[in-house]
Amino acid sequence: MRLSQMLFVTLRDDPADAEIPSHKLLVRAGYIRRIGSGIYTYLPLMWRVLQKISQIVREEMNATGAQECLLPQLQPSDLWKESGRWDTYTKAEGIMFALTDRREQDLALGPTHEEVITTVARDMIRSYRQLPTHLYQIQTKFRDEIRPRFGLMRGREFIMKDGYSFHANEESLKATYQEVHTAYSNILRRSGLAFRTVQADSGAIGGSASQEFMVLAEAGEDEVLYTEDAEYAANVEKAISLPIDAEPSPFTTYEKRETPGTDTIEKLCNVLKCSPTQVVKNVLYEIIYDNGTTVLLLVSIRGDQEVNDIKLQNELTKLAPQYKAKTILAMTVPDAESQSNWAAKSLPLGYIAPDINDVYIDRKKQVDGKFLRLVDKTAIGLKNFVTGANESGYHVIGANWVEQFKKPEIVVDIRKAKVGDRAVHNPQEKLESARGIEVGHIFQLGIKYSQAMRANYTTQEGKEKPLWMGCYGLGVSRLAQAAVEQCYDKDGIIWPVAMAPYHAIVCILNINDDKQVEVAEKLYTELNKAGVETLLDDREERAGFKFKDADLVGIPYRIVTGKSLVHGKVEVVKRANKEACEVAIEEVVSTLKNWIDQALK
Ligand code: ATP
Ligand code: MG
């Protein structure tokens, strides 16, 4: 391609809405253009990058025996109601674009395709002889993200590869899951990226085991906790650890103390001269379940620990049947205004004890009259602890479970693991932290969807059984940008060879020099013929301007027709390290082919 004929516009300044380097660079180098919030045009250079990634994905997926297909983006609501996810996706997470057609039928634009594929499987799979089977697609997904940002990293319209496998039993599911794990690792390795596989929370998709593939980069929205011995790595949402030991309590007798102005743990510990590990803090939440029921939740946790919202949400979803609900719609720490919806009298916020009386809750319709009390494991082992006295300005010290506070019925692990904690598998190992960009997520779904949607098969013995299912997502457009986030310098993008839109760019130093033009044209034609994807910068611009653009766009190899032509040579510069050398004109094609082959190994 000749730059003179391309719709090619680079910008000298960073776009105002871009916060992270990869976003700035992709816009400045002419890869993407913003059309609306979270909506982008993939310009020709970007489209080539996306095609390259898609091709690597295809090769690795096909190698596992998976087959490519294309599922509809427009999805009838009936399917989502059958799986029980319509409300979760349109109300709770609210991430699905839903619409009503001219026949008053509800539809949605696909954020993911478990429902569609399970419908296909239900219709087509009859017998164990058809199993296992694995389909995938590469397609645009739609999600009404709360905070679309960072360009292609979190779009509202983006490209995903998603795959779904069906099995007769769990062993078969596990085998395919492992194959996909290998395929994804190959994809990222071939793409030239540094990544880490971590244990992950399954979120609204559901199911049991799941792992994420994280491209390591400072701008990553995810925090990964891992140990140096490589035995453990998890998304912070899912991570477990051993908290530091609690310091023995200095308080030996139970007493109520006046502690004015101590509505935070820090202030309290200053006044009482104790450690936060000796405090049981009680955090109040307001939960709204999908059937409209409001539940007031009191979480008791050790004072130095934080609640992991994802773990808490998972516990609350497990408890949903107790409230005749399926899922939670909202979970907030109530402010004064929202308290007026359910409080019978004003609560001693900041001074609440684990046994705060249910009379604080106004008994009315849609509000459960009893506090749901969850106690984190860190709080349950404490002796002679400090906690609120249910009276503003007062705490109790030297308190104990059973003696002063009823033994909690529901003990859970909802604390946030953090850097510096000891690892569970080996307390000698400490958790370390890294930032990551989640580019892939694989799940063993089990029989959740097939059971809900009655997708069964007949076993060898003639019995009807639900299909075992796995699902595997990879963010193609996010991966492209993640690569930039990992590979750039002050001058621009440094594409790994495997996903660069072109391998080489021939820059004509002086467009008015016939000899230069002739050699450049010849190299341009020969390189492309030999399979080295090459651009020709034949614009009537100064050399410095052309070099700046070439660096910004990030093409791996730049060939310059300049002074050395008199010796029958051209200058070749490697973008990654700016290393320059002179190569005889007739050796350019073989040299580049060689370098590219090496880079793609
Ligand atoms: P996140 O936690 O980042 O929102 P997710 O858990 O919702 O991701 P999945 O539903 O597992 O993501 O989707 C599979 C893959 O699709 C993700 O690993 C990610 O690479 C990509 N992806 C998800 N949401 C977006 C988005 N809004 N924009 C771009 N890519 C996305
Ligand atoms: Mg998401």
Side-chain angles (χ1 to χ4, degrees):
M1 188 75 209
R2 290 163 191 275
L3 282 193
S4 61
Q5 290 169 17
M6 223 167 111
L7 178 59
F8 179 67
V9 179
T10 54
L11 310 175
R12 289 290 160 240
D13 296 318
D14 289 333
D17 66 322
E19 296 168 61
I20 58 171
S22 55
H23 184 192
K24 292 176 186 169
L25 289 171
L26 286 176
V27 176
R28 280 185 49 207
Y31 283 85
I32 56 172
R33 277 284 155 140
R34 181 181 183 274
I35 297 299
S37 167
I39 308 173
Y40 286 86
T41 292
Y42 309 120
L43 292 164
L45 287 174
M46 192 72 221
W47 187 239
R48 286 182 71 100
V49 173
L50 294 169
Q51 298 284 9
K52 294 234 172 144
I53 299 171
S54 301
Q55 187 52 30
I56 297 175
V57 168
R58 283 198 177 95
E59 287 169 15
E60 294 298 333
M61 292 320 298
N62 293 350
T64 71
Q67 291 181 78
E68 187 169 358
C69 65
L70 193 60
L71 303 168
Q73 280 158 308
L74 214 42
Q75 306 188 4
S77 62
D78 306 0
L79 308 186
W80 289 76
K81 285 178 183 157
E82 266 188 78
S83 72
R85 288 208 296 182
W86 181 257
D87 282 348
T88 319
Y89 272 71
T90 57
K91 291 188 202 140
E93 300 211 340
I95 211 162
M96 190 154 67
F97 288 104
L99 54 127
T100 310
D101 68 13
R102 65 175 76 234
R103 292 180 192 82
E104 298 287 307
Q105 302 293 313
D106 289 331
L107 297 160
L109 290 176
T112 179
H113 280 76
E114 284 78 13
E115 281 72 4
V116 170
I117 198 81
T118 307
T119 305
V120 174
R122 174 173 64 191
D123 288 352
M124 294 185 65
I125 299 174
R126 293 270 162 269
S127 143
Y128 69 94
R129 286 196 196 87
Q130 294 166 283
L131 299 171
T133 189
H134 182 180
L135 297 180
Y136 75 94
Q137 59 172 349
I138 298 175
Q139 190 194 50
T140 296
K141 294 274 182 286
F142 299 89
R143 292 187 183 180
D144 195 0
E145 296 280 355
I146 299 171
R147 272 193 83 189
R149 59 178 186 158
F150 299 161
L152 306 185
M153 290 284 191
R154 187 167 297 284
R156 295 200 297 163
E157 182 179 325
F158 59 95
I159 302 176
M160 195 203 288
K161 169 263 151 188
D162 49 327
Y164 308 88
S165 65
F166 293 94
H167 309 266
N169 52 47
E170 194 173 6
E171 295 79 77
S172 167
L173 165 59
K174 286 195 161 142
T176 297
Y177 180 88
Q178 212 43 54
E179 280 168 21
V180 178
H181 190 287
T182 307
Y184 276 30
S185 304
N186 291 344
I187 291 166
L188 294 176
R189 189 183 41 73
R190 284 181 59 185
S191 302
L193 298 176
F195 68 99
R196 205 181 261 280
T197 319
V198 305
Q199 295 177 18
D201 180 71
S202 313
I205 302 257
S208 54
S210 95
Q211 279 164 299
E212 287 166 341
F213 290 77
M214 296 284 185
V215 167
L216 302 172
E218 262 319 297
E221 286 187 284
D222 286 281
E223 184 183 358
V224 172
L225 294 174
Y226 65 97
T227 51
E228 207 51 59
D229 67 357
E231 289 290 315
Y232 185 73
N235 190 316
V236 67
E237 292 176 357
K238 171 86 177 178
I240 52 168
S241 65
L242 302 172
I244 56 165
D245 289 331
E247 289 176 33
S249 172
F251 310 111
T252 43
T253 44
Y254 180 69
E255 253 177 68
K256 182 168 150 187
R257 285 266 180 98
E258 194 175 354
T259 52
T262 58
D263 54 356
T264 66
I265 297 292
E266 200 189 342
K267 289 182 207 164
L268 176 65
C269 291
N270 272 337
V271 168
L272 290 180
K273 305 215 171 12
C274 67
S275 149
T277 63
Q278 294 150 353
V279 179
V280 170
K281 78 174 160 189
N282 305 289
V283 194
L284 185 67
Y285 290 86
E286 182 182 319
I287 312 299
I288 301 177
Y289 277 102
D290 58 342
N291 58 359
T293 303
T294 297
V295 173
L296 283 316
L297 162 69
L298 194 68
V299 172
S300 301
I301 188 166
R302 206 172 78 184
D304 61 320
Q305 301 296 320
E306 298 299 325
V307 174
N308 175 330
D309 283 350
I310 305 283
K311 290 186 184 176
L312 176 56
Q313 267 177 32
N314 291 342
E315 293 299 333
L316 291 168
T317 307
K318 275 191 232 159
L319 292 169
Q322 182 174 318
Y323 299 101
K324 300 196 171 49
K326 281 203 207 98
T327 161
I328 60 170
L329 292 188
M331 181 177 100
T332 49
V333 174
D335 55 16
E337 197 186 325
S338 55
Q339 274 182 59
S340 63
N341 296 331
W342 50 261
K345 51 181 178 168
S346 129
L347 278 100
L349 290 181
Y351 303 89
I352 293 179
D355 64 348
I356 183 128
N357 202 303
D358 293 331
V359 297
Y360 279 98
I361 305 175
D362 194 2
R363 293 186 172 266
K364 56 180 171 188
K365 231 178 124 204
Q366 297 282 68
V367 178
D368 194 89
K370 283 198 164 116
F371 283 103
L372 170 61
R373 297 169 207 267
L374 299 183
V375 179
D376 183 72
K377 279 184 181 163
T378 51
I380 200 70
L382 293 188
K383 304 221 158 34
N384 296 322
F385 55 81
V386 174
T387 196
N390 288 329
E391 189 180 336
S392 276
Y394 290 88
H395 280 88
V396 294
I397 59 170
N400 284 290
W401 298 108
V402 182
E403 286 167 38
Q404 286 82 28
F405 295 102
K406 202 171 145 226
K407 194 157 191 247
E409 283 164 25
I410 318 181
V411 179
V412 284
D413 171 16
I414 45 174
R415 65 178 274 273
K416 209 187 239 170
K418 55 176 188 273
V419 64
D421 284 348
R422 293 166 301 166
V424 173
H425 74 277
N426 176 2
Q428 303 297 330
E429 290 281 330
K430 292 259 165 72
L431 293 190
E432 312 218 11
S433 164
R435 305 297 307 179
I437 300 164
E438 178 202 323
V439 293
H441 198 167
I442 59 176
F443 301 78
Q444 291 176 26
L445 293 174
I447 55 173
K448 174 179 161 158
Y449 293 89
S450 42
Q451 220 165 26
M453 300 180 74
R454 298 177 321 287
N456 297 328
Y457 75 100
T458 311
T459 65
Q460 203 160 1
E461 294 77 37
K463 272 200 203 135
E464 284 267 297
K465 287 239 167 113
L467 289 160
W468 286 79
M469 184 173 172
C471 82
Y472 320 98
L474 188 91
V476 172
S477 47
R478 183 184 283 184
L479 173 59
Q481 189 173 327
V484 179
E485 199 55 50
Q486 216 172 55
C487 315
Y488 69 92
D489 63 15
K490 64 176 186 1
D491 298 322
I493 300 171
I494 304 173
W495 285 112
V497 175
M499 46 169 114
Y502 290 89
H503 299 130
I505 179 164
V506 179
C507 289
I508 308 174
L509 210 54
N510 178 1
I511 199 89
N512 299 315
D513 180 329
D514 292 345
K515 179 70 184 163
Q516 286 193 20
V517 173
E518 185 201 314
V519 173
E521 288 281 351
K522 180 171 124 68
L523 284 175
Y524 170 62
T525 310
E526 283 178 2
L527 284 164
N528 275 313
K529 217 188 245 165
V532 179
E533 299 162 19
T534 305
L535 282 169
L536 179 65
D537 193 347
D538 55 348
R539 296 175 299 171
E540 288 201 32
E541 297 285 359
R542 285 176 298 106
F545 185 89
K546 291 184 179 179
F547 294 166
K548 265 211 163 90
D549 271 355
D551 279 350
L552 180 62
V553 172
I555 307 297
Y557 307 109
R558 180 173 84 205
I559 300 154
V560 187
T561 54
K563 289 197 200 86
S564 48
L565 275 192
V566 290
H567 313 296
K569 291 183 173 174
V570 290
E571 190 191 34
V572 184
V573 185
K574 291 184 178 168
R575 174 66 185 89
N577 53 12
K578 301 268 176 83
E579 211 177 84
C581 58
E582 289 190 345
V583 179
I585 294 169
E586 56 280 7
E587 282 169 18
V588 170
V589 172
S590 58
T591 305
L592 259 73
K593 271 196 81 80
N594 207 349
W595 287 351
I596 293 165
D597 287 348
Q598 289 296 325
L600 295 183
K601 250 190 196 153

